[in-house]
Amino acid sequence: MHLKRLEISGFKSFAQKTILDFAGGITAIVGPNGCGKSNIVDAIKWVMGEQSMKSVRGKKGEDLIFSGSKKRVRLGKARVALFMDNSSGAAPIDFPEVVISRNIFRAGENEYHINNSKVRLKDVADILTKARMAQKSFSIINQGMADAILNYSPTERQLILEEAAGVRGYQVKKEEAARKIKNTKDNLEKTASLMAEIEPHLNYLRKQASKAEKREEIVKKLGDIQKSYFGVISKNLYKEKNQINRRNKSARDEIFRKSQELIELKKNLSKEEKNMFSGDNGIFGLQQKWNDLRMKIGEMEKETAKIEAKIELILIAREPQVSPVDIDYIKTRISQSLELLKKALNSQNAGEKNKILNEGLEMLDCLHNEIKNGKIKKYLKKPEVNPGLLEEKKELEDKIAKLSSESREIQANIANRQGQELKEKAKFFEMERRIKAIEDEIGGDKDVLRDLDIEEAKVSMKLGDIEKEIADSGMNIQEIIAADIKIPELFNQDDSEREIRRLKVRLDEIGSIDQATIQEFHETDQRYQFLEKESGDLKKTISSLKNVIDELERKIRENFNDYFSVINNEFNNYFRLIFGGGRASLLRKTAVNQVDGDNDETGGNDKENDNINREGVDISAILPGKKIKDLSLFSGGERSLTSIALLFAIIASASPPFLVLDEIDAALDEDNSQKFGKILRELSRKTQFILITHNRETMKLADILYGVTMDEGVSRVLSLRLV
Ligand code: ATP
């Protein structure tokens, strides 16, 4: 791939669009001082992506845009386009021609295009690197630089050689990797110091979090125990309360029932009382009647006695044999009476007792009357008596018998009534006793009620206490009651209370832990873990970058070693050719492959940088017939020729696609200019040259010659010779 054409418009002194077509071999640009020749070189550098303003001899972007002249106003934009032949396909783009263009505006904005498509600087750099045309110090060389190659430090010289050897890319990558390692190490250090900073606080937070976890566990355990404890206790208390209420109700029911009974009893009692003390129970009337009867009987008995006396008189008058007393009769009657009295004494029943007693007494009374009236005379021989008297007597006796029987009936009635009265009294007293008993029972029931009320109050108080305890524990009694709590088989109230107390003490010991602290722990831990991971990633990055560096170094070593021996050889050849003898060589100052043996896990020390700094190339040259080795003692021409020999060696060994040489032939005398021209012609078979020159010998070599002039501050290009 070679340069075909350069279009410049608005760039520096090139106010108007200027086109330069390049020859495949040598293109020479000539012109007086200050006409703008070097501006063309700047344009080439710039379009190839130069980022250093110094390198294009400016301070700021604006300096690159035509700044105006007496006749022409300044421009707002500069544009340079470089046309390249890609028929060989060296650039990885599917076009036979590649046009790279770059614009700059006064505001400083830069634009890059490849074949009219807007691209990034990186794309431009990529395509040129692939085509081995990357704009570096080596592809554009001015006189100062050619001389400077001798004055450069070994390291700078090494850079140029690396560029020429095509390992510069690797070297750049290696430097990048080394820089990345350094940055990564910086980051690693920052990460480590952040971790160190966080760690003590994180440890504290971790402890707090683990305490909180423990606390949580205890709270859960406590909650479980409390749930069953509260459940058992409150259920039992409710059960107890219900039982008390039931007992209370049944006691009240009992009192009510007994009170009703009492009322009824009292009602009956007062009725009974009224009956008992109303006065008339018939006994008095009967007594009265009995007395009347007794009187009548008495009178009749008197009548009878009179009749009997009459009869007696009659009988006596007719000599009746009379025994004064019938002893047997009296004996029989007395023993009968005594029997009755005895019976009366033994009788338990008051009524019966009276009745029998009366019967006995009456019998005695009757016997007494019979004796007194002489009725119990024993007739030894029955006298004859007037039948009328007898009849009268018989009538009286019948009446007496009848009345006696009536009297006995009344007597029995009285006894009966008295028995009745006793029964009623007994019933009354029984009622009184019953009332008393019920009243006592009610009293007892009321005592029970009072006790139950006290018990109920106690249970309610306990329930109140437990409810408060439940509420204090953040629970709800209704939920506790509703929950189907399985009472542990080995539930023991004392043990549970002890355990609850113990857990509460433990909670107190742990103390409360702020939720924000836990939150902070999680956040800090996350951050720490993130840093830990990052640290690991950074270490991995360092390790892989080290591998990259090793690989790059291996490539650099291999490529550069090969190249170096070639260039060394060429340098000696060109030196001897130019000077007609002598000896020149390049010396590797330090071996590239000294990078190893670094076991630092963070990616090593600064060995990568050290190596870059340590590496370098020295020049050793001896002129024919002379012994001087020290280049500083060479004449200006000798130095120029030595640097040109080295330059040619580089070009010959690397065969770059193109090379811009800006007045590097200025110091050559005619003889040396001819040698220079000859070698250049030789090299131009492989490398395209664009030469800025004042040297006539060089101009003669050119395939295309451009003359640059400046008119009123504006550069113009004139083609002086075409191929
Ligand atoms: P020499 O042979 O002495 O090295 P030269 O031909 O290489 O000279 P240059 O250095 O290319 O000349 O050109 C310098 C000229 O370009 C100066 O006259 C300078 O004023 C002009 N110039 C540089 N920048 C601008 C700009 N932005 N606008 C207008 N003119 C500019």
Side-chain angles (χ1 to χ4, degrees):
M1 191 154 104
H2 63 271
L3 307 184
K4 275 172 76 180
R5 172 187 287 184
L6 182 72
E7 279 182 15
I8 316 175
S9 54
F11 185 86
K12 287 200 168 181
S13 54
F14 291 89
Q16 62 196 31
K17 185 170 177 179
T18 306
I19 297 173
L20 288 98
D21 286 309
F22 299 117
I26 299 169
T27 302
I29 299 164
V30 300
N33 291 132
C35 67
K37 300 184 294 294
S38 295
N39 288 345
I40 293 171
V41 179
D42 290 342
I44 295 171
K45 275 190 204 173
W46 185 71
V47 75
M48 291 174 94
E50 179 61 61
Q51 294 300 297
S52 156
M53 285 306 293
K54 199 178 155 199
S55 172
V56 288
R57 302 179 301 153
K59 281 183 183 148
K60 49 190 190 305
E62 255 186 304
D63 296 343
L64 304 181
I65 304 167
F66 178 67
S67 60
S69 65
K70 271 188 188 167
K71 288 193 175 170
R72 290 186 88 102
V73 291
R74 68 173 197 168
L75 297 173
K77 166 191 169 188
R79 178 175 188 270
V80 176
L82 186 63
F83 291 63
M84 289 172 286
D85 183 294
N86 188 35
S87 48
S88 66
I93 182 169
D94 208 9
F95 291 100
E97 183 180 77
V98 177
V99 182
I100 295 171
S101 64
R102 182 174 178 180
N103 298 332
I104 186 166
F105 301 86
R106 283 216 174 265
E109 190 190 340
N110 265 280
E111 275 177 2
Y112 297 90
H113 291 90
I114 293 177
N115 288 6
N116 287 327
S117 298
K118 208 169 174 179
V119 293
R120 297 163 301 169
L121 167 63
K122 186 179 177 300
D123 302 319
V124 173
D126 275 358
I127 208 166
L128 290 174
T129 304
K130 299 258 165 60
R132 292 183 61 231
M133 290 173 103
Q135 192 283 133
K136 290 286 169 199
S137 50
F138 168 68
S139 44
I140 296 165
I141 297 163
N142 58 36
Q143 191 187 1
M145 279 166 70
D147 284 345
I149 202 164
L150 298 186
N151 296 332
Y152 279 163
S153 71
T155 310
E156 287 166 325
R157 212 172 283 127
Q158 165 109 11
L159 290 180
I160 290 172
L161 293 181
E162 279 174 359
E163 180 72 37
V167 297
R168 186 68 203 129
Y170 297 142
Q171 201 62 267
V172 168
K173 279 184 187 159
K174 187 188 143 186
E175 284 161 23
E176 261 172 36
R179 251 193 312 280
K180 275 186 194 163
I181 285 182
K182 191 174 178 309
N183 290 342
T184 313
K185 274 159 71 183
D186 288 349
N187 288 339
L188 189 61
E189 256 170 49
K190 277 181 206 155
T191 311
S193 80
L194 275 176
M195 283 166 76
E197 210 174 284
I198 290 174
E199 221 159 343
H201 189 51
L202 181 64
N203 286 341
Y204 162 76
L205 291 172
R206 185 175 286 118
K207 268 184 207 152
Q208 291 300 98
S210 106
K211 266 189 186 178
E213 220 169 83
K214 190 83 217 157
R215 193 188 161 83
E216 198 71 6
E217 255 174 47
I218 295 173
V219 166
K220 162 121 193 18
K221 201 171 169 191
L222 178 65
D224 287 349
I225 294 177
Q226 277 181 324
K227 240 180 236 168
S228 51
Y229 171 77
F230 289 146
V232 171
I233 301 293
S234 51
K235 271 185 182 172
N236 282 347
L237 284 173
Y238 272 116
K239 210 158 110 188
E240 213 176 314
K241 194 175 173 172
N242 285 343
Q243 269 171 1
I244 292 170
N245 286 344
R246 264 200 304 279
R247 281 166 61 201
N248 191 309
K249 187 177 179 306
S250 80
R252 281 178 198 285
D253 287 352
E254 195 63 7
I255 289 172
F256 177 77
R257 191 186 59 72
K258 285 175 182 165
S259 301
Q260 293 297 107
E261 195 183 345
L262 201 62
I263 291 166
E264 195 61 27
L265 276 172
K266 283 187 175 169
K267 223 176 355 185
N268 292 344
L269 186 74
S270 86
K271 233 190 262 172
E272 202 67 31
E273 204 170 21
K274 257 184 226 160
N275 283 347
M276 260 171 60
F277 299 106
S278 61
D280 184 20
N281 57 3
I283 291 181
F284 184 71
L286 285 174
Q287 204 75 45
Q288 225 27 60
K289 215 172 163 185
W290 184 76
N291 287 343
D292 290 349
L293 272 177
R294 291 313 304 171
M295 226 145 64
K296 267 186 198 168
I297 291 171
E299 278 165 18
M300 278 182 188
E301 279 174 343
K302 273 180 204 163
E303 273 312 297
T304 310
K306 277 177 194 169
I307 293 171
E308 277 178 348
K310 278 179 192 173
I311 294 172
E312 197 65 30
L313 285 172
I314 295 168
L315 285 174
I316 292 167
R318 291 177 185 177
E319 295 173 23
Q321 292 176 351
V322 179
S323 173
V325 165
D326 186 349
I327 296 298
D328 291 335
Y329 175 75
I330 292 167
K331 270 186 189 170
T332 307
R333 291 304 271 182
I334 286 171
S335 107
Q336 277 174 344
S337 300
L338 283 173
E339 263 319 296
L340 280 173
L341 287 172
K342 221 192 261 171
K343 199 174 167 188
L345 278 174
N346 290 333
S347 174
Q348 297 297 320
N349 186 312
E352 198 185 45
K353 198 177 205 162
N354 279 356
K355 187 187 163 197
I356 301 171
L357 197 62
N358 285 334
E359 254 177 74
L361 290 172
E362 196 186 332
M363 201 175 276
L364 282 173
D365 199 27
C366 195
L367 185 63
H368 168 73
N369 283 333
E370 280 173 337
I371 295 169
K372 199 169 71 179
N373 298 330
K375 275 185 184 175
I376 315 170
K377 288 174 188 161
K378 192 171 173 180
Y379 293 92
L380 301 174
K381 192 176 137 193
K382 204 165 173 181
E384 283 177 25
V385 183
N386 186 343
L389 277 176
L390 286 174
E391 249 173 60
E392 206 179 329
K393 187 188 164 212
K394 174 83 171 85
E395 251 172 60
L396 279 170
E397 278 174 351
D398 285 349
K399 272 183 189 172
I400 287 167
K402 200 180 162 209
L403 287 175
S404 292
S405 151
E406 209 174 311
S407 152
R408 272 195 302 277
E409 253 173 52
I410 290 168
Q411 199 70 33
N413 208 354
I414 288 169
N416 197 22
R417 296 239 172 147
Q418 279 172 336
Q420 191 67 28
E421 196 179 86
L422 276 175
K423 260 190 208 163
E424 276 170 4
K425 274 191 184 156
K427 192 178 168 192
F428 177 82
F429 292 130
E430 174 59 23
M431 276 165 90
E432 265 190 339
R433 197 192 51 72
R434 176 79 187 125
I435 285 170
K436 174 79 177 63
I438 289 176
E439 278 174 346
D440 286 351
E441 277 178 29
I442 288 176
D445 287 344
K446 281 185 177 169
D447 287 347
V448 167
L449 214 53
R450 251 193 312 281
D451 290 348
L452 285 174
D453 283 347
I454 290 166
E455 266 184 66
E456 205 267 349
K458 276 187 196 164
V459 170
S460 292
M461 208 165 74
K462 281 187 195 169
L463 262 175
D465 288 350
I466 203 97
E467 258 179 60
K468 189 174 175 303
E469 224 180 305
I470 289 169
D472 287 349
S473 305
M475 299 181 198
N476 178 311
I477 188 152
Q478 297 313 327
E479 279 169 20
I480 296 255
I481 297 290
D484 184 20
I485 292 161
K486 296 267 175 298
I487 299 169
E489 247 173 65
L490 294 170
F491 178 81
N492 176 304
Q493 188 172 337
D494 288 347
D495 288 352
S496 296
E497 282 170 359
R498 223 185 343 269
E499 183 64 0
I500 287 170
R501 268 201 303 279
R502 190 183 72 81
L503 293 175
K504 279 183 175 174
V505 168
R506 291 211 54 196
L507 283 183
D508 278 351
E509 280 167 3
I510 291 174
S512 68
I513 288 151
D514 190 6
Q515 201 51 41
T517 310
I518 309 303
Q519 180 67 21
E520 195 189 345
F521 164 68
H522 289 304
E523 284 167 9
T524 314
D525 191 40
Q526 243 174 14
R527 173 142 178 69
Y528 190 83
Q529 280 176 25
F530 170 78
L531 289 172
E532 219 168 29
K533 187 181 175 300
E534 193 169 64
S535 170
D537 289 349
L538 290 171
K539 281 176 190 167
K540 271 188 211 153
T541 305
I542 288 170
S543 149
S544 67
L545 282 169
K546 276 180 71 182
N547 289 341
V548 167
I549 286 178
D550 287 349
E551 179 59 19
L552 286 168
E553 279 177 348
R554 192 186 58 76
K555 279 186 179 164
I556 290 168
R557 229 173 12 248
E558 283 172 11
N559 292 2
F560 193 70
N561 283 350
D562 292 351
Y563 173 75
F564 193 78
S565 57
V566 173
I567 200 172
N568 220 350
N569 213 23
E570 293 287 355
F571 181 37
N572 192 39
N573 289 343
Y574 282 113
F575 186 85
R576 288 173 63 78
L577 187 71
I578 291 171
F579 289 105
R583 185 161 40 87
S585 65
L586 298 170
L587 305 168
R588 300 282 291 277
K589 219 184 135 195
T590 321
V592 183
N593 59 353
Q594 279 186 344
V595 184
D596 55 33
D598 180 11
N599 293 323
D600 185 344
E601 66 152 335
T602 59
N605 50 31
D606 282 346
K607 59 157 192 171
E608 293 81 11
N609 296 329
D610 290 352
N611 279 332
I612 291 161
N613 293 335
R614 279 202 304 274
E615 288 170 23
V617 176
D618 272 338
I619 294 173
S620 159
I622 299 174
L623 291 167
K626 295 184 181 176
K627 280 190 176 172
I628 308 162
K629 274 189 185 173
D630 191 345
L631 287 176
S632 62
L633 298 175
F634 279 29
S635 78
E638 284 166 346
R639 284 177 63 81
S640 267
L641 286 169
T642 306
S643 67
I644 286 169
L646 179 54
L647 191 64
F648 283 159
I650 292 169
I651 296 164
S653 55
S655 303
F658 81 98
L659 207 59
V660 178
L661 303 177
D662 190 355
E663 294 188 41
I664 65 161
D665 52 359
L668 302 183
D669 59 20
E670 201 179 328
D671 186 32
N672 282 326
S673 294
Q674 280 174 3
K675 280 185 192 166
F676 174 79
K678 222 171 139 190
I679 297 168
L680 209 61
R681 174 50 63 203
E682 183 65 26
L683 291 173
S684 71
R685 283 195 284 159
K686 285 185 179 169
T687 299
Q688 180 184 26
F689 285 99
I690 294 155
L691 309 173
I692 312 288
T693 185
H694 292 292
N695 191 313
R696 291 189 179 278
E697 289 299 323
T698 310
M699 284 183 212
K700 281 185 207 165
L701 292 170
D703 298 309
I704 293 177
L705 186 64
Y706 287 110
V708 183
T709 58
M710 178 166 280
D711 184 16
E712 304 258 347
V714 175
S715 296
R716 285 176 214 284
V717 170
L718 190 68
S719 177
L720 299 177
R721 181 158 33 118
L722 291 172
V723 181

